[in-house]
Amino acid sequence: MYLQRYFHYETLILNRINQFVAAEDTSYHQRITLLKENQDFIEQLFKPKNIVADTGHNTDWQLVAALTGVRNNFSIITGGPGTGKTTTVAKILAILFKTNPALRVVLAAPTGKAAARMAESLKKAELPVDESMVEKFQALVPSTIHRLLKTNFGTHHFKHNKDNPLNVDVVIIDESSMIDVALFAKLLDAIGPGTRLLLLGDKDQLASVEAGSLFGDLCVAQGVLNLFSEERVAFVNSFISDPLKKIEANNIVPSNSHPLFQHIIELRFSHRFNGNEGIGKFSKAIIQNDEKSLESFFEAGMDKMVTIDTDYNETIFNDFIEGYRAFIEERDIKEALKKLNNLRVLCAVREGVHGLYAINKRIEDWLQKGKLIIRSGEFYEHRPIMVTSNNYELGLFNGDVGIIRKNERGVAMAWFENSEGKIEPVLPGYITQAETVYAMTIHKSQGSEFDKVLVILPENEDVQILTRELLYTGVTRAKMQVTVQGKKEVIIKTTAAQVKRASGIIERFIGQ
């Protein structure tokens, strides 16, 4: 059963993907030729920086994804934290810029923060390219999807659509799991079939807050990922000299008629986390509901990167929020913003003693008791805020984080870092929708990364929102250390529960 509008959106998505795939045939031979002509450059891009003894087979999925992204009009690159999605995109762009220096590229994400982080990562990518190509990377300007498509104010429609498509060559969308079915449909509607569309995201992360779970469903639509025709494997392997990095024979299938076949690549090697310990092992145990592996983390001191506190220990909480002292005492606003984003408390729910509102107040009480802040009004000095709606006139977008500080005239201003890395002040009164962000919901944390994270779960295990995808998303926001406060039975039940919502696009692909 569908609401008519959502059936229409899903149909549009299905048709547009089929059009992307069909349009690839006209450029197939030209793109294969260009790749072969630039083989030396491509091999140089993927040449390992540090030669490390490899004891087993580890296919270079980043190279597979890059060749796929250049070959196809429609590609999906999925993978967990640290698997190199953005690095792979940087190399795809390097290949495309090499073959077409005049290439028109746009970068976008569901939130301003996620878009800015992607652009920053691309600009910092260390690639063996010349200065002219470095300048092209530096010129990349991130955008929210809404801003890219240009909202028609007062309506649900955009200025860019099938009758007025985006005049670009490549569209790259990060954090695609956050896109709901309506926005997904309108995005695809605004991209011509000859334009390359590259979607990035973690298929195991939370789906969008609004209706639909399109990205996750697209990733699992054909069942097993990273399967290829014999011809594709031979072509890709011709770019890989190391036998241990080639695609193996068990990844070859004789035939597959699914429209997404050879259009989705899963990156499987994390450069950030070791799958046998720490956050890597913990997040893997969560998403796979591996109760035996989870059990090992409940033993105190068993892992330096992961701490589970089943007693909601006040000392552990206070020790964590002591970290906010760094940004409060930092006078340079740009540095203060960096220090604020070194850590974050993430809540599963908004209400209740362990919910967002209570936790933010608890943190404020502790900081005021320590004379680090003085709550003299709504926009008090050092208050960290997160914008919760898009404001195009101010250039602020849902998810942007700033700090309240007085300017040289003693006027309280909200300071944000813009897409160019510059700090800009905004009068707080102009920001109509914002909330304190010592703590934030796990949903709102998507697209962000922090060195340290404290995840707080409610004591009631029957809260429907508690799923393995939610906990996985919260845990994987941490790069160095994560602490989870929650009862053991709640954590176990959470990892056993999955998001039930789904689109019908899997069945409709099969039924074509």
Side-chain angles (χ1 to χ4, degrees), residues 53-318:
D54 200 336
T55 56
H57 197 283
N58 186 20
T59 298
D60 190 345
W61 293 118
Q62 289 190 18
L63 174 54
V64 178
L67 295 176
T68 300
V70 175
R71 156 70 178 83
N72 295 344
N73 279 6
F74 179 83
S75 302
I76 291 176
I77 299 176
T78 185
T83 51
K85 295 185 291 292
T86 309
T87 301
T88 303
V89 168
K91 292 177 180 179
I92 290 174
L93 285 175
I95 298 168
L96 292 173
F97 280 135
K98 177 77 172 174
T99 57
N100 178 12
L103 195 75
R104 297 164 299 174
V105 180
V106 291
L107 311 175
T111 67
K113 182 68 177 177
R117 192 166 64 83
M118 173 175 61
E120 183 182 1
S121 298
L122 287 173
K123 291 173 182 178
K124 288 181 178 178
E126 296 180 4
L127 303 175
V129 296
D130 59 30
E131 192 61 36
S132 63
M133 195 177 293
V134 171
E135 289 176 4
K136 293 183 184 299
F137 275 90
Q138 295 302 317
L140 294 172
V141 178
S143 168
T144 62
I145 297 174
H146 286 82
R147 195 174 189 183
L148 172 67
L149 300 182
K150 296 183 179 176
T151 305
N152 277 323
F153 293 105
T155 75
H156 294 293
H157 303 291
F158 294 97
K159 292 178 181 177
H160 285 294
N161 50 44
K162 66 179 178 180
D163 298 319
N164 181 31
L166 293 162
N167 187 26
V168 295
D169 300 307
V170 182
V171 177
I172 299 172
I173 308 294
D174 199 9
E175 298 294 343
S176 298
S177 62
M178 298 170 66
I179 309 173
D180 61 79
V181 65
L183 186 56
F184 218 110
K186 292 168 185 177
L187 172 67
L188 265 63
D189 194 41
I191 300 173
T195 299
R196 283 185 179 87
L197 173 60
L198 188 58
L199 301 174
L200 311 179
D202 185 344
K203 65 180 175 58
D204 295 322
Q205 232 179 246
L206 278 168
S208 63
V209 176
E210 303 297 333
S213 55
L214 259 296
F215 183 79
D217 284 354
L218 288 174
C219 288
V220 300
Q222 58 176 317
V224 181
L225 292 178
N226 294 8
L227 297 179
F228 310 92
S229 67
E230 190 171 353
E231 178 191 8
R232 181 67 64 89
V233 168
F235 175 73
V236 172
N237 281 346
S238 70
F239 285 79
I240 305 173
S241 58
D242 185 348
L244 293 174
K245 301 292 184 183
K246 292 179 182 285
I247 302 175
E248 294 185 278
N250 57 13
N251 292 100
I252 299 173
V253 292
S255 64
N256 190 319
S257 60
H258 197 286
L260 294 177
F261 177 56
Q262 302 186 135
H263 286 76
I264 305 173
I265 305 298
E266 181 180 21
L267 304 181
R268 293 174 172 171
F269 178 76
S270 177
H271 299 271
R272 184 185 305 166
F273 300 133
N274 183 337
N276 299 317
E277 62 181 2
I279 296 171
K281 180 181 178 182
F282 187 45
S283 60
K284 186 178 177 182
I286 291 168
I287 208 65
Q288 294 180 354
N289 188 26
D290 184 348
E291 196 170 331
K292 183 179 178 182
S293 184
L294 279 172
E295 282 287 344
S296 65
F297 289 97
F298 287 101
E299 300 175 34
M302 287 300 292
D303 196 294
K304 293 179 181 179
M305 296 178 73
V306 179
T307 300
I308 297 182
D309 170 26
T310 57
D311 300 320
Y312 297 93
N313 187 292
E314 189 173 354
T315 301
I316 289 176
F317 180 87
N318 292 342

Side-chain angles (χ1 to χ4, degrees), residues 378-379 385 404-405 411-414 426-434:
E378 182 183 3
F379 295 108
I385 62 171
I404 304 298
R405 290 275 176 94
V411 178
M413 304 291 285
V426 177
L427 279 168
Y430 290 155
I431 305 170
T432 55
Q433 291 180 279

Side-chain angles (χ1 to χ4, degrees), residues 335-407:
E335 284 301 310
L337 277 168
K338 285 182 181 178
K339 290 180 178 180
L340 168 62
N341 288 320
N342 283 342
L343 72 160
R344 195 61 45 89
V345 178
L346 303 181
C347 299
V349 296
R350 288 183 171 269
E351 308 290 346
V353 67
H354 299 303
L356 176 72
Y357 305 124
I359 293 298
N360 265 322
K361 186 179 183 304
R362 185 177 164 190
I363 295 171
E364 285 180 321
D365 290 343
W366 190 89
L367 293 173
Q368 179 150 306
K369 186 178 178 181
K371 296 183 171 53
L372 291 169
I373 63 170
I374 299 174
R375 282 176 292 183
S376 54
E378 182 183 3
F379 295 108
Y380 60 83
E381 185 87 348
H382 306 304
R383 180 192 173 200
I385 62 171
M386 180 173 65
V387 178
T388 56
S389 66
N390 294 330
N391 190 317
Y392 296 93
E393 291 180 1
L394 295 177
L396 295 177
F397 302 96
N398 190 358
D400 285 353
V401 172
I403 300 173
I404 304 298
R405 290 275 176 94
K406 291 177 181 176
N407 62 15

